[in-house]
Amino acid sequence: MSDLPRHIEIHEEGPREGFQFERGIYPLDQRVRLVDMLAETGLRQIQVASFVSRTRVPQMADAEQWFARLRPRSGVRYTGLWLSEAGFTRAQATPGISLLGTLYFYASDAFSRQNNGIGAAEMAEQQRQWIARYRQAGLAIEAAYLMTAFGCNLQGRIESADALRQAEDIIELCRQEGLVLPALYLADTVGWAVPASVERLVGALRERHPQLRIGLHLHDTRGSGLANVYAALRLGVDLYDASVAGLGGCPFAGHASGSAGNICTEDLVFMAHEMGIETGVDLPALLEAAREAERIIGHPLAGRVMHAGLLRS
Amino acid sequence: MSDLPRHIEIHEEGPREGFQFERGIYPLDQRVRLVDMLAETGLRQIQVASFVSRTRVPQMADAEQWFARLRPRSGVRYTGLWLSEAGFTRAQATPGISLLGTLYFYASDAFSRQNNGIGAAEMAEQQRQWIARYRQAGLAIEAAYLMTAFGCNLQGRIESADALRQAEDIIELCRQEGLVLPALYLADTVGWAVPASVERLVGALRERHPQLRIGLHLHDTRGSGLANVYAALRLGVDLYDASVAGLGGCPFAGHASGSAGNICTEDLVFMAHEMGIETGVDLPALLEAAREAERIIGHPLAGRVMHAGLLRS
């Protein structure tokens, strides 16, 4: 266990994931309250909202107001998501937002076509334009995501060797653009990873690119989420996306299950703390936020620790 | 990953755990149907019912009839649970049951007092009588359980060194009785284990007693269940208790959460198969049984794969 990191960094994605995933539109003051509670827990980065089509995603139509109503807490980065130039322009005009230069690549060509209307190669070329655009805007590129790094329901399993090659293509594309990629996220977008595949891909990447910081964006679609985290922790991975209360997924029937269920922030924090790994997060405060999230959403969410309670030692 | 076992043995505990845990009494034909479905999945050992006080546990009052109504499948062991001599006598008189000689020890003295009315040391002494009783009945001792091996809410955390010492006391007690213990289960009775503590305890036990077969009985109370399995798999552990659909627990508020939630059989089978580890279980058939369990119970159960579906590769 010698490679277990002493500290991990967790990026909270629950608000954006959760309120976008649910069909209803929740009152702005409830969404604001949840983000304000999260900002008090010690989490240093919280994805608040996405800047996407207001007609296609009405849940996110008031993203600007959401940011405007937050009680900004110093040391916390409030981030947003955009996929188009129009969305980026809206984000740039939003006070209080931390604009992060993030690149998106797809291991699955079929999944990219379904989600973006273009294949993985064309999507990769578009990222060059995003690099240029972020530079023009004075933003540093913080990270790239390799989406569907382990597989997807359209194209099936992505073998580690293929994902590794694609990760190296990303590194090379960045190099060509004069950029040393600070972090690469392996995203298990629709829940195909198991510990063995995490270990294979992270291990190979770590061996060939020891300086590259690796992050994991994991979904707990089939229950292996924290097992996958443990496989990554053992290899020293110290950067994780997660959603408070498991927001953004519904483990039960009736939702589009294939894409459901980010790993749960407080379950991750609990496991890390119990293993002596620091997160900087106040777990009881986070549990309060998780319970508030469940009250707001109005149906049971997937988080475990919020329902079971903390250990009494 | 060289120590990952090629095959693991899973003992199904869902029927007994689930129908005993739920407050309602479910029709016998539904309980029979679930066990019959499970027996068709390739699972080789299924715990059906417990022989306990009919007034205190009315859900299990008709344990004998439950066994009598099963459609026995060759190669499947249908087992039961008892804690008293009277219960054992009932089990002995039940046709179709596989009687297993199992011993129960407690790492937590406080938990033993609460559950058994006697402390851990006295409980251990009683196990000598069970050894004698099983021998008189012509039963082999199959396994011993060390309950609350990682901690409990009454006594707090059990350090690995303490649990190891208690495991060795069990081995020594058996040796004094002329018995080489075939398997020792480490039971995380109320969900205190994390991968690091599993690794410490299993690793120490493995090192000192390489011939001893280790089993794990894990609860997913705080979300680390399959992460704990992965930690154990890496150390070669090939014996697991689990509950179909996560029966026997409720991840949501309103139940006695401290004791809730065995790891889910089909999520375990899924993870194992995806890592190339055989279980002998037909996963689609098991998913059908899990969905039937949820229909019978009548509220959402914790299993993930049963809701998300299998991978489409």
Side-chain angles (χ1 to χ4, degrees):
Chain A
M1 293 196 305
S2 56
D3 272 352
L4 286 185
R6 295 186 54 183
H7 181 276
I8 60 173
E9 185 177 334
I10 300 174
H11 294 169
E12 173 59 40
E13 303 210 326
R16 203 271 310 160
E17 288 268 1
F19 293 113
Q20 185 160 336
F21 177 81
E22 299 291 336
R23 294 196 183 100
I25 297 180
Y26 291 83
L28 185 57
D29 64 342
Q30 295 182 355
R31 286 178 277 141
V32 167
R33 186 166 68 247
L34 179 62
V35 175
D36 282 344
M37 288 181 76
L38 288 167
E40 299 295 322
T41 63
L43 286 164
R44 306 297 292 270
Q45 184 168 317
I46 303 170
Q47 195 177 67
V48 177
S50 57
F51 297 89
V52 287
S53 161
R54 290 189 168 99
T55 48
R56 284 176 55 196
V57 188
Q59 303 97 308
M60 291 286 144
D62 60 357
E64 288 86 348
Q65 288 90 317
W66 196 353
F67 278 94
R69 291 272 304 278
L70 295 176
R71 190 174 63 225
R73 162 128 194 156
S74 125
V76 175
R77 305 207 295 183
Y78 300 89
T79 69
L81 179 74
W82 54 85
L83 303 166
S84 68
E85 228 180 315
F88 180 46
T89 303
R90 279 177 61 197
Q92 285 181 293
T94 299
I97 196 171
S98 289
L99 294 171
L100 306 186
T102 308
L103 308 174
Y104 296 98
F105 297 83
Y106 285 76
S108 161
D109 192 61
F111 194 87
S112 177
R113 282 182 199 283
Q114 178 190 264
N115 264 38
N116 311 310
I118 54 175
E122 201 177 336
M123 188 72 187
E125 282 308 307
Q126 283 201 358
Q127 301 311 299
R128 296 188 196 268
Q129 298 163 32
W130 279 107
I131 294 174
R133 208 171 277 139
Y134 291 142
R135 282 181 167 152
Q136 275 172 9
L139 300 188
I141 310 292
E142 296 238 344
Y145 278 77
L146 179 57
M147 314 291 278
T148 60
F150 299 91
C152 79
N153 292 345
L154 300 170
Q155 199 164 315
R157 187 169 290 106
I158 305 284
E159 296 301 334
S160 302
D162 290 335
L164 175 64
R165 187 178 44 72
Q166 300 196 54
E168 298 198 310
D169 288 347
I170 295 172
I171 295 167
E172 171 59 18
L173 182 147
C174 290
R175 198 196 56 76
Q176 289 169 5
E177 302 298 322
L179 175 71
V180 177
L181 191 63
L184 176 65
Y185 280 86
L186 305 170
D188 185 27
T189 315
V190 285
W192 277 62
V194 289
S197 52
V198 169
E199 195 164 313
R200 273 196 300 274
L201 181 52
V202 171
L205 205 47
R206 184 104 307 166
E207 195 175 303
R208 294 170 65 105
H209 302 276
Q211 301 307 318
L212 177 69
R213 191 175 187 196
I214 298 172
L216 281 183
H217 175 100
L218 296 168
H219 285 239
D220 195 26
T221 317
R222 292 175 183 85
S224 304
L226 289 188
N228 295 339
V229 168
Y230 179 58
L233 286 171
R234 290 190 60 257
L235 295 167
V237 173
D238 68 348
L239 186 58
Y240 298 88
D241 291 340
S243 282
V244 65
L247 269 173
C250 178
F252 309 122
H255 272 287
S257 57
S259 63
N262 269 39
I263 55 169
C264 167
T265 312
E266 66 273 15
D267 292 1
L268 169 59
V269 168
F270 169 83
M271 190 174 90
H273 288 186
E274 284 296 307
M275 300 207 295
I277 299 169
E278 295 167 12
T279 65
V281 174
D282 174 348
L283 186 52
L286 183 60
L287 287 179
E288 281 312 303
R291 289 170 185 140
E292 180 65 19
E294 191 171 73
R295 276 191 292 271
I296 292 171
I297 295 293
H299 64 71
L301 296 173
R304 290 302 182 90
V305 177
M306 66 185 278
H307 298 113
L310 292 174
L311 302 180
R312 276 158 278 175
S313 54
Chain B
M1 293 197 305
S2 56
D3 272 353
L4 286 186
R6 295 186 54 183
H7 182 275
I8 60 173
E9 185 177 333
I10 300 174
H11 293 169
E12 173 59 41
E13 303 209 327
R16 203 270 310 159
E17 289 268 1
F19 294 113
Q20 185 159 338
F21 177 81
E22 298 292 336
R23 294 200 182 97
I25 297 180
Y26 291 84
L28 184 58
D29 63 343
Q30 294 181 355
R31 287 178 277 141
V32 167
R33 187 167 66 248
L34 179 62
V35 175
D36 282 344
M37 287 180 77
L38 289 167
E40 299 294 322
T41 64
L43 286 164
R44 305 297 292 271
Q45 185 168 318
I46 303 170
Q47 195 178 68
V48 177
S50 56
F51 298 88
V52 287
S53 161
R54 289 189 169 99
T55 48
R56 285 176 56 197
V57 189
Q59 302 96 309
M60 292 286 145
D62 60 358
E64 288 86 348
Q65 287 90 320
W66 196 353
F67 278 95
R69 292 272 305 278
L70 295 177
R71 190 173 62 223
R73 164 130 190 152
S74 125
V76 175
R77 304 208 296 183
Y78 300 89
T79 69
L81 179 74
W82 54 85
L83 304 165
S84 68
E85 226 180 316
F88 180 46
T89 303
R90 279 177 62 198
Q92 284 181 294
T94 300
I97 196 171
S98 290
L99 295 172
L100 306 186
T102 308
L103 308 175
Y104 297 98
F105 298 83
Y106 285 76
S108 160
D109 192 62
F111 194 87
S112 176
R113 282 182 199 283
Q114 179 190 264
N115 265 37
N116 311 311
I118 52 175
E122 201 177 336
M123 188 72 187
E125 282 308 307
Q126 283 201 358
Q127 301 310 299
R128 295 188 197 267
Q129 298 162 33
W130 279 108
I131 293 173
R133 208 171 278 139
Y134 290 142
R135 281 180 168 153
Q136 275 173 9
L139 298 188
I141 309 292
E142 296 238 342
Y145 278 76
L146 179 56
M147 314 291 276
T148 60
F150 299 91
C152 80
N153 292 345
L154 300 170
Q155 199 164 315
R157 187 168 291 107
I158 305 285
E159 297 300 333
S160 302
D162 290 336
L164 175 64
R165 187 179 43 72
Q166 301 196 52
E168 298 196 311
D169 287 348
I170 296 172
I171 296 167
E172 171 59 18
L173 182 146
C174 289
R175 198 196 57 76
Q176 289 169 5
E177 302 298 322
L179 175 71
V180 176
L181 191 62
L184 176 65
Y185 280 86
L186 305 170
D188 185 27
T189 315
V190 285
W192 277 61
V194 290
S197 52
V198 169
E199 195 164 313
R200 272 196 302 274
L201 181 52
V202 171
L205 205 47
R206 184 108 300 171
E207 196 176 302
R208 294 170 65 106
H209 302 276
Q211 301 307 318
L212 177 68
R213 191 176 187 195
I214 299 173
L216 281 183
H217 175 101
L218 296 167
H219 284 238
D220 195 26
T221 317
R222 291 174 182 86
S224 303
L226 289 188
N228 295 339
V229 168
Y230 180 57
L233 286 172
R234 290 191 59 258
L235 295 167
V237 174
D238 67 348
L239 188 57
Y240 298 89
D241 290 341
S243 282
V244 64
L247 270 173
C250 177
F252 309 122
H255 272 288
S257 56
S259 64
N262 270 39
I263 56 168
C264 168
T265 312
E266 68 273 15
D267 292 2
L268 169 59
V269 168
F270 169 82
M271 188 174 92
H273 288 187
E274 285 296 308
M275 301 207 295
I277 297 169
E278 294 168 13
T279 65
V281 175
D282 175 346
L283 185 51
L286 183 59
L287 288 178
E288 282 312 302
R291 289 171 185 139
E292 181 65 20
E294 191 171 72
R295 275 192 292 271
I296 292 171
I297 295 294
H299 64 72
L301 296 173
R304 291 302 183 89
V305 176
M306 65 185 278
H307 298 112
L310 292 174
L311 302 179
R312 277 158 277 177
S313 55

